[in-house]
Each structure stands twice: as C-alpha cells, then as structure tokens.
Amino acid sequence: VLLTRRVPTEIVSRLREHFVVRTNDEDTLLSGASLVERASGCFGILANLTEKFDRSVLSQLPDLRICLLYTSD
C-alpha cells in the first residue's frame, strides 16, 4: 500500500500488520509520474484529497485494486 502523504503512526502501524507499506517520507505532493513509479506493484493507495489521479495514471497501475482518499482535517 502506498501512502502518498504522512499519516498518523498508528495508521501506518495498523497497515503494516497486513500489508507492505510504502511511504512518502518527504510528504510532498506527488506528480502523476511519481505516483506511477511509487505505486507500481501496489495493491492499494491511501491518498490525500490533494493528489491528482486521472485515467492516464490509473491505467499504468494494473495491480491497483483500491484507492482511498482522506483528509487530515
């Protein structure tokens, strides 16, 4: 599972109980190309509402099964 932005450590810990977790330690907004690169091979993405997903990005991620959007507010 790719986490596109920083999330509370409790969430990361819970996800790691069930999945291999990739994080964006820089906590920067990812471009479409970066999203594809980092999410390649991932089952899921937990993304902030600010991330831009479009058909061209999603079509390059054949292993992706779920994409969840969240806000920290």
Side-chain angles (χ1 to χ4, degrees):
V1 173
L2 172 65
L3 308 179
T4 63
R5 302 300 291 265
R6 283 195 188 120
V7 296
T9 56
E10 302 84 35
I11 294 173
V12 177
S13 296
R14 291 282 298 209
L15 286 169
R16 284 195 168 132
E17 292 174 11
H18 304 280
F19 305 101
V20 173
V21 175
R22 298 178 189 171
T23 58
N24 175 6
D25 294 329
E26 300 83 27
D27 196 37
T28 57
L29 186 63
L30 299 176
S31 68
S34 290
L35 280 168
V36 170
E37 179 181 333
R38 292 177 187 231
S40 180
C42 285
F43 173 83
I45 297 174
L46 179 60
N48 192 282
L49 290 173
T50 58
E51 304 297 339
K52 302 293 185 209
F53 289 91
D54 60 19
R55 186 178 302 244
S56 67
V57 169
L58 296 175
S59 68
Q60 296 179 66
L61 300 169
D63 299 319
L64 188 65
R65 297 294 175 254
I66 190 165
C67 182
L68 303 169
L69 301 176
Y70 74 96
T71 180
S72 57
D73 293 335

